[in-house]
Amino acid sequence: MVGDLPSLTASAATTPCGVDHVRLLYRYLDTGEFDGYASLLDENVQIRGVGAAPAYGREAAAEAARAAPPALHELYKIIAAADSVVVTGRRLARDPGTGRAEFDFADVFTLSDDALVLSQRRFHYLAELAG
């Protein structure tokens, strides 16, 4: 019966769905499914990262993703609590001929009440990029 289910706060119910959205976000980026990627973003999303122009809004974020060099993401760990998800991993160049280095990253996401990505901030290990 429904009355026997424990009550969950909005953030407790949203977090697992948000983690699924973040995992799917990387899959869409890796396969070039930019419409799918955009569907996981809040209308007012903010994307920021080292060496990249900030993108504000769903359409701008999708355009920035389309313009970025193709890459694959190897995820090491996902940590989530309430409206936040942190992912550590390695970005791998899909085309080694581009000269784009591989690097470790940490992405920090915040989620909307609907479990969509409201913001993403990427951090790199800079010594690795310089080498």
Side-chain angles (χ1 to χ4, degrees), residues 13-73:
T14 302
T15 304
C17 187
V19 169
D20 288 344
H21 285 171
V22 167
R23 284 182 195 273
L24 192 54
L25 177 141
Y26 289 109
R27 181 171 301 262
Y28 285 152
L29 286 174
D30 289 352
T31 60
E33 295 289 331
F34 300 111
D35 290 338
Y37 167 77
S39 75
L40 300 171
L41 306 177
D42 185 83
E43 180 180 330
N44 299 308
V45 68
Q46 295 184 17
I47 309 286
R48 294 178 291 159
V50 177
Y56 301 105
R58 182 182 293 140
E59 294 306 316
E63 283 304 312
R66 281 183 186 89
L72 299 173
H73 297 86

Side-chain angles (χ1 to χ4, degrees), residues 102-116:
E102 297 178 359
F103 56 84
D104 288 334
F105 66 85
D107 284 342
V108 179
F109 296 90
T110 56
L111 305 173
S112 71
D113 291 339
D114 298 326
L116 296 175

